[in-house]
PDB file of all heavy atoms in Angstrom:
ATOM      1  N   ALA A 543     -14.972 109.590  45.295  1.00 98.00           N
ATOM      2  CA  ALA A 543     -16.125 109.072  44.552  1.00 98.00           C
ATOM      3  C   ALA A 543     -16.571 107.736  45.126  1.00 98.00           C
ATOM      4  O   ALA A 543     -15.774 106.958  45.653  1.00 98.00           O
ATOM      5  CB  ALA A 543     -15.759 108.911  43.079  1.00 98.00           C
ATOM      6  N   ILE A 544     -17.871 107.459  45.031  1.00 98.00           N
ATOM      7  CA  ILE A 544     -18.426 106.176  45.446  1.00 98.00           C
ATOM      8  C   ILE A 544     -19.322 105.641  44.334  1.00 98.00           C
ATOM      9  O   ILE A 544     -19.905 106.402  43.557  1.00 98.00           O
ATOM     10  CB  ILE A 544     -19.248 106.297  46.755  1.00 98.00           C
ATOM     11  CG1 ILE A 544     -20.289 107.413  46.645  1.00 98.00           C
ATOM     12  CG2 ILE A 544     -18.326 106.528  47.938  1.00 98.00           C
ATOM     13  CD1 ILE A 544     -21.270 107.450  47.803  1.00 98.00           C
ATOM     14  N   GLY A 545     -19.408 104.305  44.253  1.00 98.00           N
ATOM     15  CA  GLY A 545     -20.239 103.656  43.264  1.00 98.00           C
ATOM     16  C   GLY A 545     -20.844 102.392  43.835  1.00 98.00           C
ATOM     17  O   GLY A 545     -20.689 102.078  45.018  1.00 98.00           O
ATOM     18  N   ILE A 546     -21.526 101.647  43.000  1.00 98.00           N
ATOM     19  CA  ILE A 546     -22.231 100.435  43.426  1.00 98.00           C
ATOM     20  C   ILE A 546     -21.261  99.480  44.131  1.00 98.00           C
ATOM     21  O   ILE A 546     -20.181  99.192  43.635  1.00 98.00           O
ATOM     22  CB  ILE A 546     -22.883  99.744  42.219  1.00 98.00           C
ATOM     23  CG1 ILE A 546     -23.961 100.642  41.612  1.00 98.00           C
ATOM     24  CG2 ILE A 546     -23.496  98.401  42.625  1.00 98.00           C
ATOM     25  CD1 ILE A 546     -24.533 100.118  40.310  1.00 98.00           C
ATOM     26  N   GLY A 547     -21.667  98.992  45.300  1.00 98.00           N
ATOM     27  CA  GLY A 547     -20.859  98.044  46.051  1.00 98.00           C
ATOM     28  C   GLY A 547     -19.870  98.664  47.012  1.00 98.00           C
ATOM     29  O   GLY A 547     -19.179  97.943  47.733  1.00 98.00           O
ATOM     30  N   ASP A 548     -19.805  99.994  47.051  1.00 98.00           N
ATOM     31  CA  ASP A 548     -18.868 100.657  47.955  1.00 98.00           C
ATOM     32  C   ASP A 548     -19.487 100.845  49.339  1.00 98.00           C
ATOM     33  O   ASP A 548     -20.681 101.092  49.483  1.00 98.00           O
ATOM     34  CB  ASP A 548     -18.442 102.018  47.408  1.00 98.00           C
ATOM     35  CG  ASP A 548     -17.455 101.908  46.266  1.00 98.00           C
ATOM     36  OD1 ASP A 548     -16.887 100.811  46.090  1.00 98.00           O
ATOM     37  OD2 ASP A 548     -17.253 102.895  45.544  1.00 98.00           O
ATOM     38  N   VAL A 549     -18.626 100.749  50.350  1.00 98.00           N
ATOM     39  CA  VAL A 549     -19.007 101.000  51.739  1.00 98.00           C
ATOM     40  C   VAL A 549     -18.309 102.274  52.193  1.00 98.00           C
ATOM     41  O   VAL A 549     -17.148 102.501  51.867  1.00 98.00           O
ATOM     42  CB  VAL A 549     -18.586  99.822  52.637  1.00 98.00           C
ATOM     43  CG1 VAL A 549     -18.775 100.160  54.119  1.00 98.00           C
ATOM     44  CG2 VAL A 549     -19.383  98.577  52.284  1.00 98.00           C
ATOM     45  N   PHE A 550     -19.018 103.112  52.951  1.00 98.00           N
ATOM     46  CA  PHE A 550     -18.399 104.315  53.503  1.00 98.00           C
ATOM     47  C   PHE A 550     -18.701 104.407  54.994  1.00 98.00           C
ATOM     48  O   PHE A 550     -19.657 103.824  55.494  1.00 98.00           O
ATOM     49  CB  PHE A 550     -18.870 105.573  52.765  1.00 98.00           C
ATOM     50  CG  PHE A 550     -20.358 105.704  52.614  1.00 98.00           C
ATOM     51  CD1 PHE A 550     -21.141 106.279  53.616  1.00 98.00           C
ATOM     52  CD2 PHE A 550     -20.998 105.247  51.458  1.00 98.00           C
ATOM     53  CE1 PHE A 550     -22.512 106.392  53.478  1.00 98.00           C
ATOM     54  CE2 PHE A 550     -22.372 105.358  51.309  1.00 98.00           C
ATOM     55  CZ  PHE A 550     -23.137 105.930  52.325  1.00 98.00           C
ATOM     56  N   PHE A 551     -17.856 105.179  55.698  1.00 98.00           N
ATOM     57  CA  PHE A 551     -17.927 105.250  57.155  1.00 98.00           C
ATOM     58  C   PHE A 551     -17.667 106.674  57.613  1.00 98.00           C
ATOM     59  O   PHE A 551     -16.714 107.306  57.166  1.00 98.00           O
ATOM     60  CB  PHE A 551     -16.879 104.303  57.762  1.00 98.00           C
ATOM     61  CG  PHE A 551     -16.644 104.491  59.235  1.00 98.00           C
ATOM     62  CD1 PHE A 551     -17.668 104.299  60.154  1.00 98.00           C
ATOM     63  CD2 PHE A 551     -15.395 104.857  59.706  1.00 98.00           C
ATOM     64  CE1 PHE A 551     -17.447 104.486  61.510  1.00 98.00           C
ATOM     65  CE2 PHE A 551     -15.157 105.037  61.062  1.00 98.00           C
ATOM     66  CZ  PHE A 551     -16.197 104.840  61.969  1.00 98.00           C
ATOM     67  N   PHE A 552     -18.549 107.192  58.493  1.00 98.00           N
ATOM     68  CA  PHE A 552     -18.391 108.523  59.061  1.00 98.00           C
ATOM     69  C   PHE A 552     -18.359 108.406  60.582  1.00 98.00           C
ATOM     70  O   PHE A 552     -19.368 108.051  61.202  1.00 98.00           O
ATOM     71  CB  PHE A 552     -19.548 109.445  58.658  1.00 98.00           C
ATOM     72  CG  PHE A 552     -19.790 109.523  57.174  1.00 98.00           C
ATOM     73  CD1 PHE A 552     -21.060 109.312  56.653  1.00 98.00           C
ATOM     74  CD2 PHE A 552     -18.756 109.801  56.299  1.00 98.00           C
ATOM     75  CE1 PHE A 552     -21.293 109.387  55.292  1.00 98.00           C
ATOM     76  CE2 PHE A 552     -18.977 109.875  54.930  1.00 98.00           C
ATOM     77  CZ  PHE A 552     -20.254 109.669  54.417  1.00 98.00           C
ATOM     78  N   PRO A 553     -17.220 108.696  61.223  1.00 97.00           N
ATOM     79  CA  PRO A 553     -17.170 108.651  62.688  1.00 97.00           C
ATOM     80  C   PRO A 553     -18.114 109.683  63.316  1.00 97.00           C
ATOM     81  O   PRO A 553     -18.439 110.706  62.704  1.00 97.00           O
ATOM     82  CB  PRO A 553     -15.709 108.988  62.998  1.00 97.00           C
ATOM     83  CG  PRO A 553     -14.963 108.695  61.745  1.00 97.00           C
ATOM     84  CD  PRO A 553     -15.910 108.993  60.626  1.00 97.00           C
ATOM     85  N   ILE A 554     -18.533 109.410  64.517  1.00 97.00           N
ATOM     86  CA  ILE A 554     -19.445 110.287  65.249  1.00 97.00           C
ATOM     87  C   ILE A 554     -18.879 111.708  65.312  1.00 97.00           C
ATOM     88  O   ILE A 554     -17.692 111.903  65.538  1.00 97.00           O
ATOM     89  CB  ILE A 554     -19.701 109.711  66.659  1.00 97.00           C
ATOM     90  CG1 ILE A 554     -20.791 110.489  67.391  1.00 97.00           C
ATOM     91  CG2 ILE A 554     -18.416 109.661  67.471  1.00 97.00           C
ATOM     92  CD1 ILE A 554     -21.235 109.809  68.673  1.00 97.00           C
ATOM     93  N   GLY A 555     -19.740 112.696  65.071  1.00 96.00           N
ATOM     94  CA  GLY A 555     -19.324 114.090  65.149  1.00 96.00           C
ATOM     95  C   GLY A 555     -18.600 114.612  63.928  1.00 96.00           C
ATOM     96  O   GLY A 555     -18.268 115.803  63.871  1.00 96.00           O
ATOM     97  N   THR A 556     -18.358 113.763  62.935  1.00 96.00           N
ATOM     98  CA  THR A 556     -17.629 114.169  61.728  1.00 96.00           C
ATOM     99  C   THR A 556     -18.610 114.732  60.708  1.00 96.00           C
ATOM    100  O   THR A 556     -19.535 114.038  60.285  1.00 96.00           O
ATOM    101  CB  THR A 556     -16.883 112.968  61.118  1.00 96.00           C
ATOM    102  OG1 THR A 556     -15.981 112.435  62.076  1.00 96.00           O
ATOM    103  CG2 THR A 556     -16.115 113.389  59.879  1.00 96.00           C
TER     104      THR A 556
END
Side-chain angles (χ1 to χ4, degrees):
I544 52 171
I546 296 173
D548 285 345
V549 171
F550 50 86
F551 168 62
F552 307 128
I554 188 170
T556 301

